[in-house]
Amino acid sequence: MVSKEFLIEHIDQNEQIVEEIISLLKKFKIFTFQAEMGAGKTTLIHSILKCLKVQHFDGSPTYSIINEYVSPERGKIYHLDLFRLNSIKEAYDIGIEEIFSEKNIIFIEWPEILSSFLKDENVVHVFINVIESKSRKFEIVF
Ligand SMILES: Nc1ncnc2c1ncn2[C@@H]1O[C@H](COP(=O)(O)OP(=O)(O)OP(=O)(O)O)[C@@H](O)[C@H]1O
Ligand SMILES: [Mg+2]
């Protein structure tokens, strides 16, 4: 197991986390993002998507569990936010098996409900800790 830590003083420095995750895309396709509410999971995922030149970026504030994007370089990318799911059954109901059976990149916020499902997969876990209003500690484990 490898664990890498990054201490960030300001959101502008998130670029180094983005680069690290982009380089891990050579070996991994599933990434979880675990942190308290408002820590910066969505913000980081959007920065990664931007770096992958995702078109039709969904800037809509409307909450959705499954966001599907297309990167001209990497193909289909899923961004899942499972916060509102209450059971693994609900995950199956929204078509999680199909999403994982395809060879697409998957970024997952609030992945806990899938823990039994993810344990057999090759996954990178990104943990975010809020230090201060703009300061974060990121830990990338794979
Ligand atoms: N270094 C940082 N990285 C990411 N976000 C930061 C950082 N510093 C400050 N922020 C701010 O923290 C907030 C993070 O919000 P975001 O929606 O990304 O959180 P989240 O973890 O996805 O929350 P939720 O669990 O509700 O989905 C944003 O307002 C962002 O500007
Ligand atoms: Mg979020």
Side-chain angles (χ1 to χ4, degrees):
M1 194 186 79
V2 179
S3 172
K4 293 189 177 180
E5 274 190 22
F6 300 81
L7 193 58
I8 297 298
E9 300 296 343
H10 187 270
I11 196 163
D12 291 349
Q13 297 168 358
N14 282 15
E15 202 51 43
Q16 40 181 314
I17 325 285
V18 172
E19 279 169 22
E20 182 68 31
I21 289 168
I22 299 284
S23 75
L24 286 170
L25 281 169
K26 291 189 197 102
K27 281 193 182 170
F28 299 89
K29 68 176 185 96
I30 304 170
F31 296 76
T32 74
F33 296 82
Q34 303 180 56
E36 64 187 86
M37 254 183 225
K41 302 179 289 296
T42 303
T43 302
L44 179 62
I45 291 167
H46 283 180
S47 300
I48 300 163
L49 292 171
K50 207 170 164 190
C51 196
L52 293 172
K53 303 189 172 55
V54 162
Q55 314 276 332
H56 312 297
F57 197 75
D58 185 10
S60 156
T62 313
Y63 178 86
S64 68
I65 296 175
I66 304 173
N67 299 280
E68 192 180 317
Y69 299 101
V70 178
S71 157
E73 297 159 2
R74 309 282 179 148
K76 220 189 269 181
I77 302 176
Y78 288 101
H79 169 196
L80 308 179
D81 185 335
L82 307 182
F83 182 71
R84 306 240 173 134
L85 294 192
N86 297 306
S87 67
I88 186 89
K89 183 186 176 300
E90 286 182 7
Y92 283 110
D93 289 346
I94 62 162
I96 218 83
E97 267 179 313
E98 213 179 308
I99 287 171
F100 279 84
S101 70
E102 299 169 15
K103 292 281 166 252
N104 306 304
I105 295 167
I106 309 173
F107 298 127
I108 315 167
E109 286 183 57
W110 300 103
E112 289 81 357
I113 206 112
L114 291 185
S115 57
S116 61
F117 190 91
L118 290 176
K119 71 178 191 315
D120 301 324
E121 303 275 354
N122 232 353
V123 182
V124 176
H125 297 287
V126 180
F127 300 94
I128 311 172
N129 284 293
V130 178
I131 308 296
E132 275 174 47
S133 66
K134 290 176 181 167
S135 175
R136 303 285 187 270
K137 190 185 86 181
F138 291 82
E139 193 184 358
I140 303 178
V141 181
F142 56 95

